[in-house]
Amino acid sequence: MGTIIPETFTATPAEFGIGARLTLAVMRDDYAAVILDALQQADSTGLALQTGVVSTYLSGAEPDLLRYVSQVVAGASRSGAHVTATVQFSRGCPGEVTCTLPPTAGCSPRS
């Protein structure tokens, strides 16, 4: 069976796409304020962010994603409320419903 990604694949992680989808649940009446404050206080340098009603989509370099997610969860936790975080890290179509992969990605279904 061989590899699905050809050895000639040279795209960098940034070209291939790195992203995350972050969802916080804060058990407090003012949960929205806690979440929005944590999102705003975290260092988003180098990231593209899009916050919706349920989650926040992030894209950027891996160290920047990890820094931001860690700071957001820590910031929400400082509220003293019970906080849960669901984070989906992805490569390829990071957090998007659809995307266009590089032509050399070799990500076709196995036959």
Side-chain angles (χ1 to χ4, degrees), residues 9 11 15-18 91-94 98-109:
F9 179 66
E15 291 169 331
F16 194 60
I18 303 166
R91 187 179 310 280
C93 296
T98 62
C99 72
T100 303
L101 293 174
T104 57
C107 294
S108 59

Side-chain angles (χ1 to χ4, degrees), residues 51-69:
T51 298
V53 294
V54 175
S55 64
T56 297
Y57 163 73
L58 325 159
S59 121
E62 291 175 25
D64 296 335
L65 288 171
L66 295 173
R67 178 197 66 238
Y68 185 79
V69 168

Side-chain angles (χ1 to χ4, degrees), residues 5-110:
I5 300 176
E7 291 181 29
T8 57
F9 179 66
T10 59
T12 66
E15 291 169 331
F16 194 60
I18 303 166
R21 188 146 307 265
L22 170 63
T23 304
L24 293 178
V26 178
M27 306 310 147
R28 218 163 90 170
D29 289 342
D30 62 342
Y31 64 91
V34 171
I35 293 169
L36 292 173
D37 185 54
L39 291 170
Q40 195 171 47
Q41 296 299 317
D43 178 8
S44 62
T45 303
L47 297 174
L49 304 174
Q50 184 178 3
T51 298
V53 294
V54 175
S55 64
T56 297
Y57 163 73
L58 325 159
S59 121
E62 291 175 25
D64 296 335
L65 288 171
L66 295 173
R67 178 197 66 238
Y68 185 79
V69 168
S70 298
Q71 289 178 1
V72 168
V73 173
S77 297
R78 280 193 286 278
S79 71
H82 175 81
V83 175
T84 61
T86 302
V87 184
Q88 177 185 14
F89 291 101
S90 59
R91 187 179 310 280
C93 296
E96 298 291 333
V97 176
T98 62
C99 72
T100 303
L101 293 174
T104 57
C107 294
S108 59
R110 294 180 185 182

